Amino acid sequence: MTLRPSGQLSWLLERLTPSKWDVIGCLSSETRWNSAWQCVERRAERQHYLQIEDAVGVFGGPTAETHAANLDRQLALAVEVPGFRPDRVLRAQLLARSPDVIRTVESVVNKLGPNVILDTSCMPKRYLFPLMRKILDAAPDNLVVAYTSAQSHGDVLGYSSDDWAPLPLFLAEIDTDPLIIASVGYEPSGLAQILGEMPKTEGDLRFVLPVGTSASSSRRSWEFLHHVWPDLPLKWQAPPLRVEVHDLSGTFDTMRKVIDRTNRNVVFAPFGPKPTSVAMCLLASMLPRATVLYAQPSYYAQDYSTGVHDLSPGVPACVGHCVRLNGVDAYSLCQERGA
Amino acid sequence: MVAFSANPFERAYATESVDDDQFVVLFSPILIEYAPQLFVDDNVVVKGIQGAGKTMLLALFRPSVRIAYGRAGRDFPVLPQHSDYIGAGFSVRRSGSIDFGQLDWASEAQMGRCFGDYLNHSLLEDLIHSVLCLSEAAESGLVTGLSIERNQRALDEWARQLACERCWNDAFNGVGTLQELQEVVKRRRGLYRNALETARMDVIDDAMLKTVSDVGEPISIAADLLREMNVIGPETKVLLRFDEYDQLTHVRQLPAEAGRVMQSVVNKALGRRDRRALYRIGTRPYSWRSGALPVFGTQEMLQEDRDYMVFDFDKVLGSTEHRDGPVFRNLACDVFRRRLIHAGLLDEAANPVDVCEPFNRFFGRSPTAEQKSLRHVGRTSQSRGLGDISDLSTDWQAFLRRLAEVHPLQARVGAAWVRCGRAEGAPPPAQGTGTPWGGNQDAWWANARYSQALIQIAAEAKDRLVWAGCEDVLKLSGDHILAFLGICRYVWSAWNRSADASSVVAWTDITEVDLNLQTIGIDDSSEAEYRKLLDMPHGDTRRNAATAMAQTLRRMLKEDKRLSYPGRSGFTLDLSALDRNEYADVRCFLDNMVDYGVLRRRDNKGLNGQMRARFHVAPWLAPYFQLPMDNGQEPFAPSLQVIVAWSQGHEISLRNATASPGQMPLFDEDVAE
């Protein structure tokens, strides 16, 4: 049994051996973008922040100028954060071609030291998945994945979702009998697109439903399920796998057990919260033939989330999970199979 | 006792999303009767809007579906004279083609050549799979009507000879058996897949680039050799499916130019006019533009009838001149009946003679406009639908109020008739002598305004429009089988919830479903269709645009008390202007709305003799937006700014919709009333 330490990020870091960490995050208009940074600041060796420029709308919607102004505003606010180095920010396009996305994440990973904190809170999945995979490939001594809960989310999170496609570095041929694992989030339209076109004759589907969330989040999750449920074949309507929203370890094990029971090629559809997506990313990186499909919004809502959920006054609910600890993977398929 | 609480339309929503065994039960062979061109010795492009049934029709070329018919002991629905074919397929998205166009190719030409090679190998791999499983199924009697033989020696010889063909540029040197060929093909596809999965071009090395095959030719040779080796019969067709052609230019992560190059590669395969292997292309209507289909590596364009034929779902299903009557009606009735049989609610052995009987029995006849108006105003306050008529003379006010007690629709139309000055100052007729707009000319005038008058009456009564009966259901389905199934599903649900359904123990107990229940079901169905607009790529953009359009049009219809513009449930654009390059964005937006089934488009001659495109919100969305369907009247003619505003989701105030300085109006007629 491998130890998978996790907990409030500041609390966790105090108990880990390294004193200096490289921090990777993403600038955003969301309040929580720098919560992890606040927890790490004095232990930070280097900072690597991405700033992702959304795409313009298909017909109307925000223009490139609007996006540029938003990015400048984000940067201006970031300058005021103590210790933050705006010159270390790397700009990239949200809908960049896969090779360009991969080059961007490689340029970040190539500069990393042995101890890494990856703040997933505001990072678009199109960048988070390849970045995480490349970090895992680089095998740092220690890797902590952090996530900060927001106080609330906007009614609409993203706009003008593109046709579904594999996330960069997570493309494998989809068999005629895949096992689809879809996490439940707030906006079902992208998943409905994907499920509508998956092979149904022999394929199988399991939903991963995050629980332990607020009443409004829970309601939105169930609405999500109710939206996609009616058009699914009966055999795809198995009860969802319930996972605690912040429990990366439990989510990983729950999905792994389902995968262990099959030899099917696995298709992940990460539409839920980031900890679930991270668990999917870990599994997809370990499996020999896994695909991660996503319908990428062209641009995100300015009020994607507001505020930071505080554990106690002034202490943001920023949770860290050790993914690699002292050179050992805390998560692996073989080890778990043997456990 | 039959389980009438089950909804036969609840699950297995469309034959596109069911498994092969269910497909056998639910697929209506009627569709094939109207699609003989699908099986001709030519390339065929299957055009249809989102969800029209392209994938469903192309599924007939999948070996697994054909075998499923054998397994179920049912006749394959394709006519025997057409059924001697084997198929192989390529799906744009599941093959990773979107990523193909994103790699760092040295040039577009290199990308095009490699995509052609990837397509060749993918089709060859699937062709081998088809040959193997169909020959095995034929041997065990599951497949009939197909000349195919399971002969390992012949297949090995086929593989050996195919590998020696120059078209492969020595990529298959040394292959002597089918298994070796399969391994080589798999390995080469694997290299492409590896490049796609890692987004690394160095996987595709010089040796591989030197042995790239030309799109189309190898697969034709493979087909020919299959015949020569007697694996398939001399007349057996090899049909190659290429679905989601339009996706190559619709996905934003794929640079548009790369998508166009990949489409031109597919065009090249069709442009070979090689009857040894024929293509079946699935695409949305406006992604396939005749006259603008370049052939990769040449200056040529594909030409309809020379290089390919078109099967247009919209035209075929919309046809009313078939010898058996309206095509869509026949299809819908058959689909309705099949669902009941599949759910065990109708005994197949006791099939009704008339295929349409179950459908007619369930929905009944549609109420007339007059009957609908009476439902809106209720029995006690008919004059409610008349609205404010204080602008009319007291004589006319009295006449119309009396008329509204019995005929609210006539009274509403009559008020407009007087407002338009058609009374020419004459007093109202004496009671009991009919209405003055009942004459030949005016009767036509009045008839054309019923749908608009109903909108106004329903609005005055704070009621929703009534939709019910076979005619309404078919019109609201708009020749779109998915929309039809959606309506059936929700009306059945509404009926199931009612007390009417509780006493039904046999199909023959069912009588026409109550009009109110039908209206509730149809409204629910339309709302579901509206919600589903989000489930398509960039669906929110189209939904916002449709909402803005519909709200603008509805307001115009509601506020037009003279009923002067009864056709304004849609809008019209001059085709010659729309085709101009400077309006490419507007054209692209409207094409996209039509391709995704949000708008319907019909082209015809306008009042000035010019060809015009008429656009209406898709009929299945009309109940949600509370708009009437296309009634054939002259639609609204907006300016460029109005279309642009709609595309951005802005409802417009028509009085302010004038051309901005420096911006040419798109059409002569302006919008301000």
Side-chain angles (χ1 to χ4, degrees):
Chain A
M1 186 77 181
T2 312
L3 190 64
R4 294 170 179 168
S6 69
Q8 172 63 18
L9 186 59
S10 337
W11 176 88
L12 181 70
L13 294 181
E14 281 168 17
R15 282 151 184 82
L16 297 178
T17 322
S19 57
K20 289 292 178 188
W21 296 82
D22 277 25
V23 184
I24 311 173
C26 193
L27 250 67
S28 163
S29 55
E30 298 178 70
T31 322
R32 58 178 170 170
W33 78 268
N34 64 351
S35 295
W37 173 254
Q38 286 172 357
C39 298
V40 183
E41 191 201 336
R42 62 189 173 82
R43 297 186 183 85
E45 176 81 33
R46 279 178 293 262
Q47 54 188 258
H48 314 267
Y49 271 78
L50 291 175
Q51 195 181 25
I52 310 296
E53 184 175 352
D54 289 351
V56 296
V58 184
F59 302 108
T63 61
E65 289 74 29
T66 318
H67 288 321
N70 285 339
L71 297 187
D72 289 343
R73 199 161 43 243
Q74 285 168 13
L75 210 52
L77 290 171
V79 171
E80 294 171 14
V81 175
F84 188 80
R85 296 260 311 266
D87 56 313
R88 303 298 300 267
V89 172
L90 185 60
R91 272 198 185 180
Q93 304 284 328
L94 180 63
L95 293 187
R97 295 176 318 134
S98 295
D100 295 333
V101 173
I102 294 164
R103 268 192 287 273
T104 300
V105 300
E106 278 174 345
S107 73
V108 172
V109 173
N110 289 341
K111 291 177 204 154
L112 292 178
N115 306 307
V116 179
I117 293 169
L118 172 60
D119 181 8
T120 63
S121 310
C122 303
M123 193 165 293
K125 286 161 192 165
R126 188 165 171 74
Y127 279 83
L128 172 63
F129 274 69
L131 179 59
M132 179 105 182
R133 182 164 204 160
K134 286 287 178 188
I135 296 173
L136 291 170
D137 288 348
D141 290 344
N142 292 286
L143 171 61
V144 173
V145 171
Y147 177 71
T148 307
S149 299
Q151 260 176 354
S152 64
H153 286 86
D155 289 339
V156 180
L157 303 183
Y159 297 92
S160 201
S161 292
D162 204 8
D163 225 322
W164 63 267
L167 288 175
L169 292 180
F170 290 91
L171 162 72
E173 206 147 15
I174 302 168
D175 292 343
T176 52
D177 63 342
L179 165 64
I180 305 154
I181 300 183
S183 58
V184 176
Y186 288 168
E187 299 200 328
S189 49
L191 181 64
Q193 257 192 61
I194 292 172
L195 295 182
E197 296 181 37
M198 285 295 110
K200 296 183 177 61
T201 305
E202 294 166 47
D204 205 355
L205 168 72
R206 293 308 299 267
F207 285 108
V208 177
L209 176 71
V211 295
T213 54
S214 65
S216 72
S217 294
S218 182
R219 180 180 52 78
R220 288 177 76 169
S221 296
W222 279 104
E223 281 172 358
F224 180 108
L225 272 178
H226 281 290
H227 183 86
V228 291
W229 210 288
D231 291 335
L232 299 178
L234 271 177
K235 65 172 183 172
W236 279 17
Q237 297 187 11
L241 303 164
R242 288 169 165 80
V243 295
E244 206 283 324
V245 66
H246 287 294
D247 184 7
L248 173 61
S249 175
T251 307
F252 179 90
D253 288 341
T254 303
M255 289 193 284
R256 183 188 50 74
K257 281 175 194 157
V258 175
I259 293 165
D260 272 354
R261 287 197 289 268
T262 176
N263 290 320
R264 296 162 188 258
N265 134 244
V266 184
V267 174
F268 292 101
F271 287 85
K274 285 284 168 47
T276 318
S277 299
V278 169
M280 285 185 166
C281 182
L282 286 168
L283 282 162
S285 302
M286 293 167 193
L287 290 164
R289 287 187 317 127
T291 306
V292 182
L293 300 180
Y294 194 60
Q296 177 62 53
S298 297
Y299 54 98
Y300 287 102
Q302 282 300 298
D303 62 344
Y304 187 101
S305 81
T306 45
V308 174
H309 183 65
D310 286 340
L311 281 181
S312 56
V315 182
C318 178
V319 179
H321 303 271
C322 286
V323 171
R324 270 179 72 81
L325 186 61
N326 301 325
V328 178
D329 282 321
Y331 293 82
S332 76
L333 287 176
C334 300
Q335 193 179 38
E336 294 306 321
R337 278 191 175 122
Chain B
M1 184 167 155
V2 184
F4 270 86
S5 57
N7 186 338
F9 307 93
E10 188 66 42
R11 306 289 172 209
Y13 195 34
T15 40
E16 291 183 45
S17 63
V18 300
D19 63 32
D20 295 338
D21 294 327
Q22 285 180 312
F23 183 97
V24 171
V25 183
L26 298 175
F27 179 74
S28 170
I30 282 186
L31 193 55
I32 297 180
E33 287 175 33
Y34 302 116
Q37 64 265 54
L38 207 59
F39 303 95
V40 295
D41 282 342
D42 211 332
N43 298 316
V44 178
V45 174
V46 181
K47 284 164 71 169
I49 62 169
Q50 174 83 19
K54 301 181 292 290
T55 310
M56 172 184 70
L57 209 50
L58 291 173
L60 291 169
F61 300 116
R62 288 205 321 249
S64 59
V65 166
R66 190 163 187 166
I67 293 168
Y69 271 95
R71 234 181 3 246
R74 289 174 181 248
D75 291 337
F76 192 48
V78 178
L79 290 173
Q81 63 265 36
H82 290 145
S83 63
D84 192 7
Y85 65 79
I86 57 170
F90 184 88
S91 159
V92 165
R93 279 186 292 189
R94 289 187 40 204
S95 65
S97 302
I98 304 301
D99 291 76
F100 207 99
Q102 295 188 47
L103 294 181
D104 291 325
W105 299 97
S107 64
E108 283 176 359
Q110 188 191 58
M111 183 196 70
R113 288 176 57 237
C114 287
F115 181 63
D117 190 49
Y118 182 56
L119 185 57
N120 284 338
H121 284 80
S122 301
L123 287 173
L124 181 61
E125 191 174 59
D126 204 41
L127 182 63
I128 294 171
H129 171 256
S130 293
V131 167
L132 291 177
C133 61
L134 283 172
S135 58
E136 192 182 321
E139 207 171 58
S140 57
L142 287 178
V143 166
T144 55
L146 169 63
S147 306
I148 192 163
E149 193 178 335
R150 179 95 176 176
N151 181 337
Q152 190 58 42
R153 191 175 297 170
L155 282 170
D156 283 341
E157 181 57 18
W158 170 75
R160 193 190 65 75
Q161 288 201 24
L162 182 63
C164 295
E165 288 290 336
R166 290 179 60 186
C167 61
W168 297 109
N169 292 320
D170 299 329
F172 294 167
N173 277 353
V175 166
T177 63
L178 178 66
Q179 192 183 349
E180 286 169 6
L181 179 68
Q182 285 178 292
E183 281 165 12
V184 173
V185 171
K186 190 177 176 187
R187 198 179 315 137
R188 192 167 179 102
R189 283 196 76 238
L191 286 172
Y192 280 119
R193 299 290 315 176
N194 194 355
L196 297 178
E197 287 163 23
T198 57
R200 281 175 47 195
M201 273 302 294
D202 53 354
V203 176
I204 302 172
D205 58 14
D206 281 351
M208 195 164 162
L209 290 172
K210 279 180 191 160
T211 54
V212 164
S213 58
D214 197 14
V215 67
E217 191 188 5
I219 208 80
S220 294
I221 292 173
D224 219 17
L225 281 172
L226 281 174
R227 295 185 191 102
E228 213 172 287
M229 298 290 127
N230 293 322
V231 175
I232 57 174
E235 302 299 325
T236 307
K237 286 180 227 157
V238 173
L239 303 177
L240 308 168
R241 306 181 309 277
F242 188 99
D243 205 0
E244 304 164 340
Y245 175 92
D246 45 279
Q247 290 301 321
L248 292 171
T249 45
H250 277 205
V251 180
R252 295 190 82 194
Q253 289 156 54
L254 175 64
E257 197 44 51
R260 278 192 280 275
V261 170
M262 290 159 84
Q263 285 185 337
S264 75
V265 172
V266 181
N267 297 347
K268 185 175 182 182
L270 270 72
R272 297 177 59 83
R273 279 166 270 158
D274 187 339
R275 300 290 184 265
R276 291 177 292 178
L278 300 161
Y279 289 83
R280 299 292 182 259
I281 310 287
T283 181
R284 294 189 178 95
Y286 291 97
S287 300
W288 187 272
R289 291 186 158 271
S290 297
L293 300 161
V295 174
F296 178 70
T298 71
Q299 299 295 316
E300 288 180 34
M301 296 282 172
L302 284 188
Q303 282 184 23
E304 190 171 340
D305 295 333
R306 185 191 70 177
D307 299 315
Y308 64 91
M309 293 174 70
V310 169
F311 176 84
D312 189 331
F313 259 95
D314 233 18
K315 283 188 184 154
V316 171
L317 293 182
S319 168
T320 53
E321 291 165 5
H322 196 273
R323 62 177 186 277
D324 299 332
V327 172
F328 184 74
R329 185 188 174 91
N330 294 343
L331 176 68
C333 289
D334 189 51
V335 167
F336 189 87
R337 187 181 64 99
R338 279 171 183 277
R339 294 281 163 157
L340 299 186
I341 294 169
H342 180 57
L345 304 179
L346 196 62
D347 184 1
E348 197 168 11
N351 266 352
V353 177
D354 180 7
V355 171
C356 291
E357 202 269 338
F359 172 66
N360 291 340
R361 176 193 286 266
F362 189 74
F363 285 104
R365 292 191 64 83
S366 292
T368 62
E370 187 76 45
Q371 289 166 331
K372 287 180 179 178
S373 69
L374 284 166
R375 283 192 165 257
H376 288 312
V377 296
R379 289 206 174 86
T380 53
S381 55
Q382 277 92 333
S383 61
R384 200 157 57 131
L386 195 51
D388 178 11
I389 52 170
S390 57
D391 55 319
L392 305 183
S393 70
T394 48
D395 289 350
W396 275 107
Q397 285 184 35
F399 173 78
L400 292 171
R401 286 208 172 94
R402 272 199 312 274
L403 184 64
E405 294 299 319
V406 192
H407 300 296
L409 180 69
Q410 291 299 328
R412 186 86 199 187
V413 171
W417 187 81
V418 178
R419 285 188 181 110
C420 287
R422 294 182 86 93
E424 295 175 343
Q431 200 172 356
T433 58
T435 55
W437 51 89
N440 281 344
Q441 186 67 23
D442 286 331
W444 175 87
W445 183 93
N447 198 35
R449 280 150 181 82
Y450 284 166
S451 56
Q452 188 181 5
L454 277 177
I455 291 234
Q456 297 184 356
I457 292 170
E460 296 284 356
K462 297 190 171 27
D463 195 12
R464 290 183 68 79
L465 292 172
V466 171
W467 312 91
C470 296
E471 295 81 5
D472 276 2
V473 168
L474 291 172
K475 275 187 202 161
L476 287 168
S477 302
D479 307 330
H480 195 276
I481 201 69
L482 271 185
F484 173 76
L485 285 169
I487 291 172
C488 294
R489 173 191 193 175
Y490 282 95
V491 172
W492 191 286
S493 279
W495 172 73
N496 243 348
R497 293 192 298 266
S498 73
D500 297 2
S502 58
S503 56
V504 172
V505 291
W507 171 252
T508 45
D509 295 340
I510 292 183
T511 52
E512 179 184 326
V513 174
D514 177 75
L515 299 192
N516 286 334
L517 293 175
Q518 290 199 45
T519 299
I520 289 168
I522 287 170
D523 275 342
D524 288 350
S525 161
S526 188
E527 192 185 334
E529 295 285 357
Y530 175 77
R531 279 200 311 269
K532 279 185 177 200
L533 292 180
L534 282 182
D535 293 349
M536 289 180 266
H538 309 288
D540 51 349
T541 310
R542 280 186 294 274
R543 193 171 89 161
N544 294 343
T547 305
M549 277 175 193
Q551 285 177 346
T552 306
L553 295 170
R554 177 170 160 78
R555 207 181 53 235
M556 280 196 288
L557 287 170
K558 251 175 68 182
E559 292 175 0
D560 172 22
K561 302 295 181 202
R562 294 153 62 104
L563 301 181
S564 302
Y565 305 104
R568 287 188 161 182
S569 56
F571 60 98
T572 178
L573 304 175
D574 190 335
L575 267 187
S576 58
L578 191 60
D579 282 339
R580 296 215 301 259
N581 282 341
E582 59 263 45
Y583 302 130
D585 284 351
V586 172
R587 187 174 63 236
C588 178
F589 160 70
L590 293 170
D591 285 351
N592 190 279
M593 295 284 278
V594 175
D595 273 354
Y596 281 92
V598 183
L599 292 181
R600 299 302 295 271
R601 172 177 167 169
R602 297 272 185 272
D603 294 351
N604 66 354
K605 269 190 185 169
L607 295 176
N608 59 1
Q610 299 288 316
M611 283 303 288
R612 296 175 80 85
R614 296 158 60 99
F615 296 89
H616 285 82
V617 169
W620 49 88
L621 293 171
Y624 179 81
F625 291 123
Q626 291 288 287
L627 275 176
M629 287 178 283
D630 182 5
N631 58 3
Q633 300 300 305
E634 186 63 9
F636 173 51
S639 72
L640 174 63
Q641 290 93 329
V642 174
I643 306 282
V644 171
W646 281 343
S647 73
Q648 296 172 356
H650 303 310
E651 195 188 342
I652 48 143
S653 160
L654 294 177
R655 291 180 202 289
N656 298 328
T658 51
S660 59
Q663 171 70 66
M664 288 285 289
L666 186 54
F667 310 104
D668 295 333
E669 187 183 340
D670 210 341
V671 294
E673 290 180 52

